[in-house]
Amino acid sequence: MAEHFHALRVSEIVPETDDALSIRFDVPPELADAFRFKAGQHLTLKADIGAEEVRRNYSLCVAPGDGEIKVTVKRIAGGVFSNWVAETLRAGDMIDVMTPHGSFTTTFDVGAVRRYVAIAGGSGITPIMSLIRTALNEEPKSRFTLFYGNRDSQSVIFLEALAELKDRYMGRLELFHFLAEEEGEVELFNGMLDAARCGEAVDRLVVDPTSIDAWFICGPGPMMDAAEAVLVERGIASERIHIERFTAGRPSAGHAAQIAALQEGAAGQTISVTLDGRTRRIDFDGRSILDSALAAGIAAPFACKAGVCATCRAKVMSGKVEMTVQYGLTDEEIADGYVLTCQSVPAADGVAVDYDA
Ligand code: FES
């Protein structure tokens, strides 16, 4: 079924660093199933700020076995939602939270003997923290290596929590901090996790990189691009590389022109949209399938409207659809016919999408 919003009570606001905090939610027993999640997934929060409804995605920083629901929010200069959270949201407040979603995850198995490596930058540690906790807890024979880039030691989110995990799971968590503005003794760790440093770190610190079972990358866009390129260059199979993006790059000029032509051509075409078991036929409004559904009064799920969060995911049941960008989907989901409806335009007659599939 499609994801839905529920009003949850904030049980605690936990300061993490000067500009990051975590929000813990109370989940009443009747919603426990709806809020079951996989390591690395995120929640969409919704609030009316000023006169506007604002939605943002924040990753869960806890493991499914931790028995709590908690996301981490980094305050961004000029960020409407993150500043509202920091200044206004308090324990005891109610806030609309969408049930968990996202595909930055893997399947853990108690008997598995695996090696995982994560490359994180800044608040990109949040979903990776969830994955580390889960791997260490649920796979007693697996090991995790983390390369974690930050400006300085003051800005390292979960500095102590990571050190505690390293102590608790002796020999199973390797931690390497890279600080851009602080000098330590080892030259490799002094500086940003750019392509050169990331490549050197992989070559010097990871034994046999192609045998790593899963790589997880989350952080600023340039860091993620650099890390991905480093791994691809070393022959690591793309299905082992998991990337969580929070912002999308721009489509090429040619692709943008192709989408614009499709939008114009498809305006007024009838599309069929299924949500919560109900199918409706609506007009394509010349923007996206999501916008058309919302304009027709269908409460289709969405958060970023930028092609990265996959909240608006639906399955194409018939017809053909073109997407502007598709960062939020895995190759497997694309092969299975899933699309991001916020990025989708009909490319042929008879398009039917199903949010419940
Ligand atoms: S709303 Fe985020 S990908 Fe469509």
Side-chain angles (χ1 to χ4, degrees), residues 302-305 307-312 340 342:
F302 73 93
C304 72
K305 278 201 180 183
V308 290
C309 74
T311 313
C312 64
L340 302 173
C342 72

Side-chain angles (χ1 to χ4, degrees), residues 19 74-80 82-83:
D19 59 2
K74 164 115 187 261
R75 197 165 178 167
I76 296 169
V80 175
S82 63
N83 284 296

Side-chain angles (χ1 to χ4, degrees), residues 256-267:
Q258 183 201 354
I259 294 289
L262 284 173
Q263 281 170 320
E264 207 183 315

Side-chain angles (χ1 to χ4, degrees), residues 119 217-229 243-247:
I119 304 172
I217 304 173
C218 187
M223 187 220 83
M224 291 197 289
D225 294 342
E228 183 182 18
I243 303 178
E244 178 78 325
R245 290 183 188 276
F246 291 108
T247 53

Side-chain angles (χ1 to χ4, degrees), residues 103 238-239 241 326-338:
S103 51
S238 63
E239 62 269 20
I241 306 174
Q326 56 189 36
Y327 292 110
L329 292 174
T330 61
D331 292 347
E332 211 179 353
E333 287 172 309
I334 293 169
D336 286 345
Y338 286 98

Side-chain angles (χ1 to χ4, degrees), residues 42-262:
H42 47 253
L43 301 177
T44 304
L45 311 190
K46 180 173 81 169
D48 290 329
I49 303 174
E52 236 188 295
E53 180 196 291
V54 187
R55 299 176 176 210
R56 290 289 184 276
N57 281 324
Y58 294 106
S59 292
L60 289 146
C61 59
V62 285
D66 288 346
E68 60 178 356
I69 296 275
K70 192 162 77 166
V71 296
T72 303
V73 178
K74 164 115 187 261
R75 197 165 178 167
I76 296 169
V80 175
F81 205 96
S82 63
N83 284 296
W84 175 82
V85 165
E87 284 159 17
T88 313
L89 194 67
R90 296 288 174 261
D93 290 350
M94 300 297 287
I95 182 168
D96 284 334
V97 183
M98 194 183 281
T99 42
H101 49 96
S103 51
F104 186 61
T105 189
T106 191
T107 306
F108 295 98
D109 167 4
V110 70
V113 186
R114 296 190 181 125
R115 287 196 302 150
Y116 301 104
V117 181
I119 304 172
S123 58
I125 189 65
T126 309
I128 286 171
M129 189 66 177
S130 170
L131 289 157
I132 291 174
R133 297 180 84 95
T134 310
L136 295 177
N137 193 33
E138 290 186 14
E139 285 185 357
K141 297 192 190 107
S142 293
R143 285 182 291 143
F144 216 115
T145 299
L146 172 65
F147 297 157
Y148 186 12
N150 280 284
R151 194 178 60 239
D152 52 36
S153 43
Q154 290 290 314
S155 58
V156 180
I157 304 174
F158 305 133
L159 183 65
E160 278 171 30
L162 284 164
E164 274 167 27
L165 286 175
K166 187 172 149 76
D167 286 348
R168 183 169 358 138
Y169 297 99
M170 289 276 283
R172 295 180 48 218
L173 174 62
E174 277 187 306
L175 273 179
F176 298 104
H177 288 285
F178 297 75
L179 299 176
E181 294 175 10
E182 228 172 85
E183 291 264 308
E185 278 170 20
V186 182
E187 181 47 38
L188 174 61
F189 304 133
N190 298 333
M192 289 199 337
L193 265 176
D194 55 12
R197 198 171 308 276
C198 192
E200 197 180 337
V202 169
D203 294 340
R204 281 175 51 184
L205 303 172
V206 180
V207 178
D208 193 5
T210 53
S211 72
I212 296 297
D213 295 277
W215 295 79
F216 299 99
I217 304 173
C218 187
M223 187 220 83
M224 291 197 289
D225 294 342
E228 183 182 18
V230 160
L231 301 186
V232 170
E233 261 169 35
R234 279 151 186 80
I236 290 154
S238 63
E239 62 269 20
R240 294 189 182 208
I241 306 174
H242 305 266
I243 303 178
E244 178 78 325
R245 290 183 188 276
F246 291 108
T247 53
R250 283 168 190 271
S252 68
H255 188 51
Q258 183 201 354
I259 294 289
L262 284 173

